[in-house]
Structure formats: C-alpha cells, structure tokens
Amino acid sequence: MARTLKQTKTVTGSTSNSQWTWKHIIYEYFDDDYITTNRSSIVVESYLGRTSSTSYFGGSASCNITCDGTSRSSSKTFSYPTYVNGGGWLLVQSESFNVTHNSDGTKSISISSSMSTGDFIPNSASASGSITLTTIPRASKVTCPSFNIGDSTVINIERYSTSFRHTIKYSFGSLSGTISTKTASTSVGWTPNADDFYKQIISSKSKTGTITCETYNGTTLIGTSTCNFTAYAKEARPDVSVSVVDTNETTIALTGDSSKIVLYASKPK
C-alpha cells in the first residue's frame, strides 16, 4: 500500500548529562485508504545525540515511545564502544502507530519518548510534546442550483471516497422530506411537488430552502453538509379573452342582439 508523507515534527528533550542530548522525530503519513478509515499512520523515531565532541558508550537500555496513549517498550543493547560524533545522532528506537481521527477529521496527539540505563552515561533521557495532525476530509459537499417551481433540478455531490453513500433531504418552509437514501450516485434528480411548493410562497414570488447531505461509510454516519436553493414562482403571461353580453330583455328586444350594449339602459355581464 502506498503512503504519502504529510508532515514531520522534531521534539527536543534532554538527558542526565549535559554532553548528551535527546530528541524524537514524528512522521505523519496518509495511506491509500486514509479517507475511508479516517486514520493517520504515525512513525516516531527517538535519537541520542552528542552536543559537541565525539564520545562513546555501551551497554543495555530500556526504551519507550508513547503515542496517543499507546506505549511501545523495547530493550536495546549497544555494543561497546558505540561512537557518536559531535553534533551527530544515533537512532535508538522506531515505532509505528495507527491513529484514528475525530469524526470531523481533526486530531491532536501527545507523543513522548524516553531511555533509561544503569550501564552508561547518560543514564536517562526523555522528550515529550504534541502535534496537530492533518485534517482528513469527511462529509461530502452538496450543491443544488435554484429552479422554477414545477421544473426539475439536479443535486450534485462531491465525495471524498467512492465507498461513501449519501442520504439527501430537503426542507422548504414547513415542508421536509427525503429525496434519496444512501445513494451511490454523485448526482440526484429532483422534481418537487409544485402544488406543495406553491402553498409555501403564497405571499411572495420565491423562497429559500435547504438541502442536507448525510455521508455514510457503511452504516456509520461520518458527517453532514448543507446548501441552500431558491425556488421561484413561474410568471408566464396567459392569453386572456373578454366578452360582454346584455342581460336586459327590454334592450335586447330593441337591438335584437345581446352583444349590443345600450348606454345607461343595458345590464352588461
């Protein structure tokens, strides 16, 4: 599985002897399936360093790296003499961890490293610190263009994993409902009921509604996103014809035609 390095961070510590120093380096990686798993791969390496002139040591030491509450301990034997150049570093321990992010994709973790020994100087070393991991995209993005009531529209979904499924819901005035349930498609056609929508805009020509997209990984809801749309009333120009007839029998008898109107005498309808 391929992995991508997202960031590194060096945390400097101290030892029981001023001629020696200590540090650990944190590497954050994203594996190919990081969006689906919502997880970072963390590698931590601890190092013993020499501050100035070259020196040497040898013997056994107990080493530990703790990442986000998970500890990995090991025993390390250094052959005598093991040299470290002035300003140089010697790798002491390397450990890998899988760290699951929060539901919104964010995550900050604490990491510490240490070494202790009774065989050589320095007989103890440690470093600790924290790192804010790269936010993993979670909820898919949804967009819906505005439309005329009675027409169809298309809801578009921008997803971060092909395994994600989406439930699409709407709200419009007092109306609400589900348009699609756990669809695998990235576009969903929608034609709202015109009569229902017109009843929501009796005193206006348009109204704004909301589309909500729920993003699922399997049965797990991993996030929601929303967008607004505007529904407009159609303003077509109707063809209108008008006719007038006389309802006064007396004037009709005089004119012989109900379509003829006598001023001040006829009763037009």
Side-chain angles (χ1 to χ4, degrees):
M1 179 181 292
R3 57 174 39 182
T4 303
L5 179 64
K6 301 302 295 183
Q7 65 170 319
T8 63
K9 182 177 181 179
T10 299
V11 179
T12 303
S14 61
T15 72
S16 59
N17 184 286
S18 62
Q19 297 301 307
W20 296 85
T21 189
W22 181 264
K23 71 177 180 181
H24 63 247
I25 303 177
I26 306 164
Y27 302 87
E28 181 195 13
Y29 295 93
F30 278 174
D31 295 329
D32 287 340
D33 61 349
Y34 74 100
I35 292 178
T36 302
T37 61
N38 194 30
R39 190 172 64 193
S40 288
S41 295
I42 306 298
V43 175
V44 184
E45 297 175 345
S46 59
Y47 292 84
L48 180 64
R50 185 70 181 167
T51 56
S52 55
S53 59
T54 299
S55 187
Y56 56 89
F57 67 98
S60 298
S62 297
C63 306
N64 178 270
I65 292 175
T66 299
C67 174
D68 195 35
T70 300
S71 294
R72 304 271 173 78
S73 298
S74 65
S75 297
K76 182 83 173 184
T77 299
F78 302 94
S79 59
Y80 185 87
T82 295
Y83 286 90
V84 180
N85 295 327
W89 296 93
L90 176 70
L91 177 64
V92 173
Q93 185 181 7
S94 179
E95 302 290 346
S96 297
F97 305 85
N98 289 322
V99 176
T100 300
H101 289 220
N102 301 321
S103 60
D104 63 356
T106 63
K107 185 69 173 179
S108 294
I109 58 175
S110 297
I111 296 176
S112 62
S113 61
S114 63
M115 181 191 73
S116 62
T117 178
D119 292 348
F120 56 84
I121 300 296
N123 53 37
S124 65
S126 64
S128 63
S130 61
I131 182 173
T132 299
L133 302 181
T134 305
T135 299
I136 296 176
R138 302 308 291 148
S140 301
K141 295 180 180 179
V142 63
T143 56
C144 179
S146 297
F147 54 89
N148 291 324
I149 296 175
D151 293 348
S152 60
T153 188
V154 176
I155 300 166
N156 294 300
I157 304 165
E158 180 184 353
R159 62 186 177 187
Y160 296 103
S161 172
T162 56
S163 66
F164 286 174
R165 299 293 179 264
H166 305 92
T167 293
I168 307 299
K169 300 179 179 180
Y170 77 93
S171 62
F172 186 74
S174 63
L175 300 176
S176 63
T178 299
I179 300 169
S180 181
T181 300
K182 289 191 175 179
T183 178
S185 177
T186 56
S187 61
V188 177
W190 181 40
T191 305
N193 184 282
D195 290 341
D196 290 343
F197 266 49
Y198 272 121
K199 290 176 183 177
Q200 300 296 314
I201 60 169
I202 294 174
S203 60
S204 62
K205 295 181 179 180
S206 65
K207 192 176 186 67
T208 299
T210 301
I211 297 293
T212 299
C213 174
E214 298 175 346
T215 303
Y216 289 86
N217 183 25
T219 59
T220 302
L221 175 63
I222 63 174
T224 61
S225 62
T226 62
C227 71
N228 292 330
F229 65 87
T230 301
Y232 295 94
K234 290 184 177 180
E235 296 187 20
R237 296 179 179 177
D239 293 329
V240 178
S241 60
V242 179
S243 61
V244 180
V245 295
D246 191 359
T247 61
N248 187 333
E249 294 181 359
T250 301
T251 53
I252 293 174
L254 291 172
T255 63
D257 187 348
S258 64
S259 64
K260 294 180 179 180
I261 306 298
V262 178
L263 188 63
Y264 305 125
S266 294
K267 295 180 179 179
K269 179 180 180 181

